[in-house]
Amino acid sequence: MAAAPLEAQIAAIQAELVSRCADLGALVADTVWREVALYHESGRFTRGEVQQDCTENVRFLFAGLTSAAVFDTTAAASSGCEGARAGVPLPTLMAAYRIGCRLIWEEIVALAAQRPDITPEALIRATARIWMAQDVLTDATVSAYRDEATRLMLTQEAERAALVEALIEGRIVKQSTLWEIATLLRIPARGPYVVVAAQCAAVGRSALPGIESKLSSADIASAWRLLPDLQIGLVHVDTDRKFEILTQTLSRVAAAPIGVSSHFGDLTEVSDAVTYARIAMSAERPDGSMLTAFESDPLAIAAVSAPRVMKRISSAVFAGFADLDAHERETLVSTFRAWMACGGSVNTTAETLFCHPNTVRHRLKRIEDRTGLSLHRPRELAELCLAFEIELRLP
């Protein structure tokens, strides 16, 4: 008996498979549910949902057996979008598709073995069309998945950036809202935190490219906001080791000045911490390094808390320095700072500055004469200490 025309044989294969579409969809779904752990372990899907999707995909493949088939990829694109929104990894989605295509191919081979009227040429042609349909299905799904994943990522990053900016500006004060923000930013709701301020080399260009992923690989949670001239980061550092890793990482990638605030414990303090980080970023760096951490001592904090008022205070104290040249002024300033750092010991200060103790005493006396403040009266000494701190911290 002569074999039927090739297209008629393929049509017979298609008709047989279509009649068993529901059963084959269930077979594919059972296999996917069993072999791909995400579907039965994540709790994101029901058995019925997986079976419905598998049946639709099987029907799509069978439609591809028709000569010059026109593919409707709407369902495949929808499946890709839903997978991206559900957080299903793309390789997992593709694993399910491979399982389905393999099982359908096995069914075609088994059917051809049972039907003497189906020639090897018809089997080969049917197999080629199934694989072509699978390529169309996969391409549509992957394209939709990637587009949706990109859209979600951009949306999430925009939302996270807006939340960081709100914290920077101190516009959020409710504790319940702060907890929600911490969740959205993927950082712990309680500190300690630090704020990082990095100067951008050009307007709108990231000063620290890829910094969030670099810190994440070290188990350090952070959230960042790019401003026109600065990149601001909120970083959770709950151990000394993590703070050390942060500073080391920043130092490695720094191409422009970077400031790090003192530690703080509550998200309501982000706005103040940004000020401290910016002050640290603008600080002098005698050693040539790019990174400066803001010391968390009361004088330093007081010096920058109200810049306008503080500058007025320092200007009044240093009015008597107006007629000094730059060298003389720097000599007196550096002597006072060294004296403070040495705990008020004239001898230790002299050793530090490589000069005679009497030279130190003479310089301190000149400071007293020019400011009208005594180093021996606690209140006046406090004014001097604050003024010198302001001079150091505020440009």
Side-chain angles (χ1 to χ4, degrees):
M1 177 179 170
L6 192 61
E7 289 301 327
Q9 295 179 53
I10 295 174
I13 294 174
Q14 184 184 43
E16 176 68 22
L17 292 174
V18 169
S19 70
R20 298 169 53 205
C21 191
D23 292 338
L24 292 174
L27 171 65
V28 172
D30 289 343
T31 307
V32 168
W33 190 267
R34 184 177 62 255
E35 294 186 10
V36 183
L38 177 72
Y39 287 96
H40 63 265
E41 291 180 356
S42 67
R44 301 175 188 170
F45 310 93
T46 66
R47 188 74 167 266
E49 290 171 338
V50 173
Q51 183 165 332
Q52 181 179 350
D53 286 346
C54 289
T55 302
E56 287 295 326
N57 292 339
V58 165
R59 188 174 287 112
F60 184 96
L61 295 179
F62 295 163
L65 288 169
T66 301
S67 178
V70 177
F71 295 103
D72 180 3
T73 59
T74 303
S78 177
S79 178
C81 288
E82 291 171 3
R85 286 193 289 266
V88 179
L90 188 55
T92 298
L93 204 58
M94 293 301 97
Y97 279 16
R98 284 193 295 272
I99 289 171
C101 197
R102 185 193 77 220
L103 291 175
I104 296 307
W105 180 76
E106 290 173 354
E107 287 294 323
I108 294 174
V109 171
L111 177 61
Q114 298 168 7
R115 299 274 299 267
D117 57 318
I118 296 177
T119 63
E121 185 180 358
L123 174 61
I124 292 171
R125 184 71 60 85
T127 299
R129 290 180 183 177
I130 284 290
W131 286 115
M132 184 179 72
Q134 171 71 3
D135 285 345
V136 173
L137 177 69
T138 300
D139 288 347
T141 303
V142 169
S143 179
Y145 181 101
R146 287 177 173 160
D147 287 347
E148 182 64 10
T150 300
R151 187 190 70 78
L152 289 172
M153 181 186 70
L154 292 175
T155 299
Q156 291 167 358
E157 287 307 307
E159 289 175 350
R160 293 182 79 223
L163 290 173
V164 173
E165 186 166 353
L167 289 173
I168 290 171
E169 296 176 358
R171 289 191 274 115
I172 300 172
V173 294
K174 291 182 180 178
Q175 194 63 51
S176 59
T177 306
L178 291 171
W179 289 336
E180 293 168 3
I181 287 176
T183 300
L184 291 171
L185 294 180
R186 300 190 293 275
I187 60 174
R190 296 188 181 279
Y193 312 98
V194 293
V195 164
V196 176
Q199 190 175 83
C200 297
V203 175
R205 181 183 298 174
S206 174
L208 303 167
I211 186 62
E212 185 169 351
S213 61
K214 288 182 175 70
L215 295 178
S216 180
S217 66
D219 194 30
I220 299 175
S222 64
W224 297 80
R225 177 71 170 113
L226 182 61
L227 303 176
D229 59 337
L230 288 177
Q231 187 169 3
I232 302 290
L234 172 63
V235 187
H236 187 260
V237 282
D238 55 348
T239 65
D240 291 341
R241 178 56 183 158
K242 286 186 178 181
F243 183 73
E244 182 182 351
I245 293 172
L246 169 65
T247 55
Q248 289 174 349
T249 304
L250 293 173
S251 296
R252 281 199 303 271
V253 301
I258 298 175
V260 181
S261 74
S262 53
H263 290 66
F264 59 100
D266 194 279
L267 290 175
T268 57
E269 302 173 63
V270 171
S271 181
D272 289 338
V274 170
T275 300
Y276 304 151
R278 297 185 71 151
I279 292 297
M281 184 190 72
S282 303
E284 298 177 4
R285 294 174 173 82
D287 59 355
S289 66
M290 288 291 184
L291 180 71
T292 303
F294 186 87
E295 300 88 346
S296 57
D297 64 85
L299 268 181
I301 294 173
V304 300
S305 293
R308 281 174 142 188
V309 175
M310 293 299 112
K311 282 300 288 183
R312 190 175 302 168
I313 291 172
S314 67
S315 296
V317 171
F318 288 112
F321 282 40
D323 62 332
L324 295 177
D325 61 35
H327 176 70
E328 283 185 293
R329 181 186 178 96
E330 178 55 31
T331 298
L332 295 183
V333 168
S334 61
T335 299
F336 185 85
R337 288 177 181 160
W339 179 72
M340 286 177 62
C342 294
S345 169
V346 170
N347 290 335
T348 306
T349 303
E351 292 174 6
T352 301
L353 298 177
F354 304 102
C355 63
H356 194 278
N358 286 339
T359 301
V360 174
R361 293 187 183 95
H362 174 68
R363 291 174 184 174
L364 293 176
K365 183 64 170 64
R366 288 185 67 197
I367 291 172
E368 288 182 315
D369 292 341
R370 287 186 170 271
T371 62
L373 299 173
S374 171
L375 300 179
H376 305 289
R377 298 189 186 98
R379 189 179 186 89
E380 294 179 12
L381 176 59
E383 286 185 50
L384 279 169
C385 290
L386 179 59
F388 275 94
E389 194 70 31
I390 295 167
E391 192 73 4
L392 173 66
R393 301 290 174 185
L394 297 179

